[in-house]
Every structure is written in C-alpha cells, then in structure tokens.
Amino acid sequence: MLEVKSVNASYGDFQALWDVSLVVNAGEIVVLIGPNGAGKTTLMRTIVGLHRPSAGNVVLDGHSTARLDGCELVERGVALVPEGRKLFGGMSVLENLEMGAYTARARQARAQTLAWVWQVFPVLAERRRQIASTLSGGMQQMLAIGRALMSLPRLLLLDEPSLGLAPLIVQNIFDVVNLVNRKGVAVLLVEQNARAALEIAQRAYVMERGRIAGQGTGAELLSDPNVRRAYLGYISTGKNLAEGT
Amino acid sequence: MTLIIQNLVFGLFVGSIYGIAAVGLALVFGVMKMLNIAHGELLMIGGYVSFWLFHLAGVDPFLSLLISAPLLFGLGVVLHQVLYRHIARFETEQKIKNSMLVSFGLVLILQNLAQQMWTADERSIQTAYSGVGADVLGVALPYTRMANLGLALLVVIGLHLFLSRTYLGKAIRATADEWESAILVGVNIRQTFLITFGLSASLAAIAGALVVVGYGLSPSIGLAWTLKALVVVVLAGTGSVFGVVPAGLLLGLGEAVSGIIAGPAYREVFGLLIFVAILVVRPQGLFGRA
Ligand SMILES: Nc1ncnc2c1ncn2[C@@H]1O[C@H](COP(=O)(O)OP(=O)(O)O)[C@@H](O)[C@H]1O
Ligand SMILES: [Mg+2]
C-alpha cells in the first residue's frame, strides 16, 4: 500500500535522508526504530507531504504522491499522529476530533466514528468540552490518536506516541494500535520503546544516520545481537541493563 | 459632571471603532502570523467606497457596507494573491518581518493612489440623521455613534458564530493553532489564508464606513488607524480575537479619561503609554493565554 522509493530529503544544506526505501503492506504493523536524530520524523513528514523529497518517490496504492498537496493525502487514507502531538491547543476535545473528520469522506461517517473513538478512549468522552492544551500528556496523546482515527485512515502513521508517558498509558496506547490494526488499518510506528514495538510488529526497519541500516521481522530484530545491544539495553552477557536498574 | 460623562461616552463610541479596526488585524496576525501594516489603508479605501456611494448615489453609509465589505473582500483576495501569498512560505519570524516590509510598501502605494484619485481633501458624510440623537440627563447620545457600538457587538457576535459553528471557521482556528496539523486533517491552508485575508479586509471596510460617518476621512489616515489597531491587539493579547472589542472599548475610555485629566493633547500619548506598559507588565495581554 505504501512504498517509499530511494528517498533523499534535506534541510537546506543538511541531508537528513539518504536513499531510504521502505514498504508497508495492507494490514501490516511495521515498526521503525533508531536513535535520536536518525531521520525517523523527517521520513514520516516526507511520507505525508509536509516535507518534500529532493530525490526518490513516495508511492501510495501504486500512484506517486509527488503532485498531491499535503492536505490531499488524508483523503486517500493516510493519517499521521505527529511527534509532540500538535493538537489544536485552543480547541476543545470534541472540536479536535471534529477537525479530524474534516474531509468529505470522513465527515459523512463522523457520528459513527466519534462514537467509536469515545469507546476506545472513554476518558476523552468524559472531557469532551475541555480545552486540549489543558489535558495531561497521556490524554493529549490519546486525543492526537483519536483525531487521526476520525479521518478513517487505511494507513496510520504514529511518531513516538509513547514519548514521556507513564507505563500504564503506554500499554493502553499499544493496545489501541493493535485494536486499530485488527480493524484492517495498516500501521507504521516510530518508537523509542523498541521492545514493546518489536513485539507487536510484523516487520521492522532500523534507521541510523539517515539510512536504513537493517530490516527484518519483529522476531528477527528482537533476537539480533546488534539490535539488542543498541536498542534493547542488553550487553553481550545477556544481562538486561534496563531491567537491572 | 455631565461633561465628564459625555467624554466617557464618546470614548466608548470611538473605542468601538478601534475594536472593529483591530479585529481584522488580529485575525490576520493570529492565523497567518503576519503583521499587515496596510490594514489602515484598507480601512481608508473602505471609507472612500462608502463616501462615494453616499455622495454620488445617495446610498446610506450603513447600507453601503453591503457593497463595500464584499468589495474589500475582493481587494483583500487580490492583494493576498499578488503579495502576501508569497510571504506565507517563510518561517514564522521571517514572516512577521517580511510582512511588515511588504505591507509598509503597500501603505505608500495605496496612500499615493488614493491621493491621485480622490485628492487630499478631508471628507465626511453628513446624513439627515447626523447629529440627531437621544438625550439622557443632559448626555448626548447621537444615533450614528450608538450604531457604531451596536455594529461592533454585531461584528464580534457574527465572527464568533462563524469561527465556532462552521467548518470553515473551525478550519481557520485550527490553522491559527497548529497549521501543520490543519494540513494533516485535510485543511487547504492556502485557501484558509485567502479567506482570512479577505475577511480582514471586509472588517476594515466596516470600520472605514464608521470613520467617515463619525470622524474624518483622507488618504493619509491609514497609519494612524493601524497604530490604534495595533495598540488594541497588544492590549487584548495577540491571539485573542474576541478580547479585541473589549480592549478597543477600553482604549477609547482610557483616552477619554486621560483627555479629561491631562488635557486633549495627551489623548494620543495614552495609547502609546498603554502599548509600552502592557508589553512590559503583561506581554500576553489582558485576554491572551500566557
Ligand atoms: N527543521 C529542521 N531543520 C534543520 N535540521 C533538522 C530539522 N529537523 C530535523 N533536522 C535534523 O535532521 C536530522 C533528523 O532529524 P529527525 O528526523 O527529527 O530525527 P529523529 O526523528 O529520528 O529523531 C537530525 O540531525 C536533525 O538535527
Ligand atoms: Mg523524531
């Protein structure tokens, strides 16, 4: 459904993506891991048209998106939950969700989708009149995901949704990602929380310094010694540093 | 005593024009992150449209809004497409600087054009009901001035309903809050910018009609009105479109008070003092979010 073909992307003189290729098939959960500054966010933004590639192509359902305006991608079923949530801070919870259903396609089904989002995130329903910027971090993240779901995506992109959140809420968010995927939505997930992400992933990519440095099934990467050392907190003796503290 | 109350009441009336003049400026600033120095020139042109409609065709200045507001919307759209559209691509800080430069250039052009076409004569409209009004305990309440206040309230209520109830209005607020997310949910923000700019010009036209009815109109009045509007926007808090009308009323009242206390010569100084004081003491403004 999504093919990223040999994409380069730059900020002025600085090239952030080098010949990046990646595929997400219909119905899959694909995870992208990598250290800070690897270019994960840049790749996500390039996929949704907020950033233009300097070379290469983003292909959706067999058609290049190069000529599409940023606002047209959501019509074609691509939704991004951006890094840092980027909610409409002055608007209420309900208004944020209504804005999620801005496209003609989503607007028709708004009432049903909204009922479903309330069901997925009951705490949001309780606070539907609250102004988004006054919500806690966890609820803001739920709202950001809810807003993306309101557009009825076929491909959901999430950029570090668990960043800075309590473990219980992180678990909740991973559960929701699974739930949405079982409804037939393909997922591309960028995560720092590599273990939890690789566990739910069918396939995964590792990104380092603007390049794809490795790929495989979730299980393959979970057992890959390099990945374990770099992203899962293991040292070669097998002792888990993260769990040891 | 009556004289003091009379002064305050007139301060409130002129404040309602400040409010309307500032709403348009605040809208463009909040949504597009641009400072349109030429807003006062749009007000001036709107005033001339009302003036000529009255002078040549006898159209009542309040009715002429039905023509001048759409006309200025069109002018706003043209100016946006020719000039302001190109600034929209810059980063926020660059946007403010560049929009000030470009719009200052536009000020000079529009001022000179107006002078060529309509001469530098000061104009105003004397309707049959000019000067007529109610009298409450010796305080004169001219109907035209009361209409200013009524119109200011109508404008904010209308704008509030538009921004809070319609999809287009919500798209405008969403763009102001977080323009990239607006794109992500499918808002065509270039279109939002265009409509916002047109709307701002229409609001300037409304203010312009009130100016030509109650005060004086000439090609050079624009900058003074932009300055007043800017003081009001800072007073209200940048980003607070609805705080703008109460802030306008407050500035009008404040000017009246300072006029009474320190003499009429100091009226104008008051606004600038407020401007500096607010920036120092409460930079988020009276109604803005910190
Ligand atoms: N707006 C920007 N301007 C200049 N450089 C940027 C900008 N955004 C990101 N970068 C640089 O691009 C690289 C990739 O950043 P990013 O895509 O945010 O990485 P990640 O999401 O993997 O942490 C980093 O070196 C970062 O400093
Ligand atoms: Mg990132």
Side-chain angles (χ1 to χ4, degrees):
Chain A
M1 120 173 283
L2 172 74
E3 286 173 85
V4 176
K5 292 182 168 170
S6 304
V7 160
N8 290 355
S10 303
Y11 298 100
D13 292 340
F14 175 76
Q15 187 166 348
L17 297 182
W18 300 77
D19 195 28
V20 169
S21 295
L22 166 154
V23 175
V24 180
N25 298 309
E28 266 189 321
I29 298 185
V30 174
V31 161
L32 180 62
I33 59 175
N36 264 335
K40 305 180 297 295
T41 297
T42 306
L43 177 57
M44 297 293 249
R45 291 169 54 85
T46 306
I47 292 171
V48 297
L50 287 179
H51 197 91
R52 294 286 165 188
S54 49
N57 223 335
V58 175
V59 178
L60 193 66
D61 300 318
H63 301 286
S64 164
T65 61
R67 287 178 178 281
L68 292 182
D69 206 82
C71 65
E72 289 175 308
L73 269 123
V74 63
E75 286 270 14
R76 316 222 166 182
V78 181
L80 170 68
V81 179
E83 186 176 55
R85 303 165 196 132
K86 304 279 168 65
L87 295 172
F88 303 123
M91 298 176 113
S92 69
V93 167
L94 180 62
E95 283 178 318
N96 268 274
L97 294 175
E98 283 173 353
M99 282 311 294
Y102 189 79
T103 64
R105 183 172 66 92
R107 225 178 275 192
Q108 285 177 344
R110 194 174 95 182
Q112 295 101 289
T113 324
L114 189 61
W116 180 61
V117 169
W118 292 145
Q119 201 184 323
V120 174
F121 296 117
V123 287
L124 290 184
E126 289 163 18
R127 292 166 184 261
R128 66 183 72 197
R129 303 261 163 242
Q130 194 169 330
I131 297 298
S133 60
T134 66
L135 294 172
S136 70
M139 281 185 215
Q140 290 198 5
Q141 191 62 60
M142 292 176 195
L143 183 53
I145 295 173
R147 182 178 68 186
L149 294 179
M150 288 299 293
S151 72
L152 297 175
R154 293 178 304 124
L155 171 63
L156 180 64
L157 311 178
L158 300 111
D159 194 349
E160 304 212 25
S162 73
L163 197 69
L165 301 183
L168 214 62
I169 296 170
V170 173
Q171 190 53 50
N172 180 222
I173 282 170
F174 274 88
D175 289 345
V176 169
V177 170
N178 256 323
L179 177 80
V180 170
N181 176 250
R182 279 200 300 277
K183 288 207 150 206
V185 178
V187 172
L188 176 58
L189 173 64
V190 168
E191 257 302 331
Q192 289 284 329
N193 194 339
R195 175 191 313 282
L198 290 174
E199 273 164 7
I200 65 168
Q202 273 111 55
R203 292 187 306 109
Y205 294 85
V206 181
M207 200 166 186
E208 278 167 11
R209 275 177 287 161
R211 293 183 169 80
I212 297 292
Q215 55 179 297
T217 65
E220 277 166 9
L221 291 183
L222 270 172
S223 58
D224 181 295
N226 288 329
V227 171
R228 286 167 76 90
R229 190 173 335 103
Y231 302 109
L232 300 178
Y234 283 100
I235 55 174
S236 46
T237 61
K239 181 172 159 43
N240 187 333
L241 287 179
E243 283 170 10
T245 52
Chain B
M1 190 61 203
T2 325
L3 197 64
I4 292 176
I5 294 176
Q6 184 73 67
N7 262 303
L8 293 180
V9 166
F10 272 81
L12 215 54
F13 289 148
V14 69
S16 59
I17 304 186
Y18 295 167
I20 299 179
V23 162
L25 191 74
L27 204 59
V28 164
F29 189 78
V31 177
M32 305 174 70
K33 319 294 179 220
M34 289 185 193
L35 191 53
N36 180 25
I37 307 279
H39 191 69
E41 269 58 38
L42 296 175
L43 180 156
M44 175 268 291
I45 292 171
Y48 272 105
V49 173
S50 287
F51 173 78
W52 288 115
L53 280 171
F54 177 79
H55 197 73
L56 299 177
V59 181
D60 183 272
F62 288 99
L63 275 181
S64 71
L65 291 178
L66 297 176
I67 300 167
S68 68
L71 210 63
L72 267 281
F73 188 96
L75 179 62
V77 163
V78 170
L79 289 176
H80 176 271
Q81 290 305 88
V82 174
L83 288 177
Y84 295 88
R85 179 168 62 103
H86 305 289
I87 306 167
R89 294 196 202 104
F90 292 107
E91 300 283 329
T92 304
E93 241 173 77
Q94 296 290 316
K95 255 198 225 184
I96 294 182
K97 286 186 211 154
N98 282 299
S99 61
M100 283 173 74
L101 272 175
V102 166
S103 57
F104 190 71
L106 189 62
V107 166
L108 300 178
I109 294 172
L110 292 178
Q111 248 183 43
N112 278 301
L113 271 178
Q115 207 157 52
Q116 292 296 317
M117 290 194 302
W118 303 319
T119 76
D121 295 350
E122 170 142 344
R123 318 272 190 171
S124 67
I125 291 180
Q126 294 299 321
T127 57
Y129 51 82
S130 289
V132 186
D135 186 311
V136 179
L137 303 172
V139 176
L141 300 172
Y143 293 135
T144 54
R145 305 283 168 109
M146 288 205 284
N148 289 357
L149 202 56
L151 210 56
L153 295 179
L154 268 181
V155 164
V156 265
I157 292 169
L159 197 61
H160 176 72
L161 289 177
F162 169 65
L163 291 176
S164 62
R165 299 287 164 86
T166 67
Y167 252 110
L168 182 59
K170 286 180 190 184
I172 288 177
R173 282 164 59 214
T175 307
D177 267 4
E178 200 66 71
W179 61 273
E180 284 195 339
S181 290
I183 296 175
L184 287 176
V185 299
V187 174
N188 182 340
I189 64 163
R190 274 172 298 176
Q191 201 184 326
T192 314
F193 285 167
L194 184 69
I195 291 167
T196 301
F197 203 86
L199 201 59
S200 162
S202 298
L203 290 164
I206 297 177
L210 301 184
V211 168
V212 70
V213 170
Y215 305 88
L217 181 68
S218 77
S220 59
I221 64 164
L223 272 180
W225 282 95
T226 298
L227 195 62
K228 287 270 195 253
L230 196 60
V231 171
V232 172
V233 170
V234 169
L235 187 61
T238 51
S240 161
V241 170
F242 299 115
V244 156
V245 168
L249 296 177
L250 217 58
L251 178 65
L253 270 181
E255 284 184 352
V257 171
S258 65
I260 294 166
I261 295 172
Y266 290 92
R267 283 182 70 106
E268 301 300 314
V269 181
F270 176 77
L272 297 175
L273 280 179
I274 287 258
F275 186 79
V276 175
I278 282 281
L279 284 178
V280 172
V281 179
R282 197 179 154 84
Q284 75 271 33
L286 295 181
F287 309 104
R289 280 181 281 148

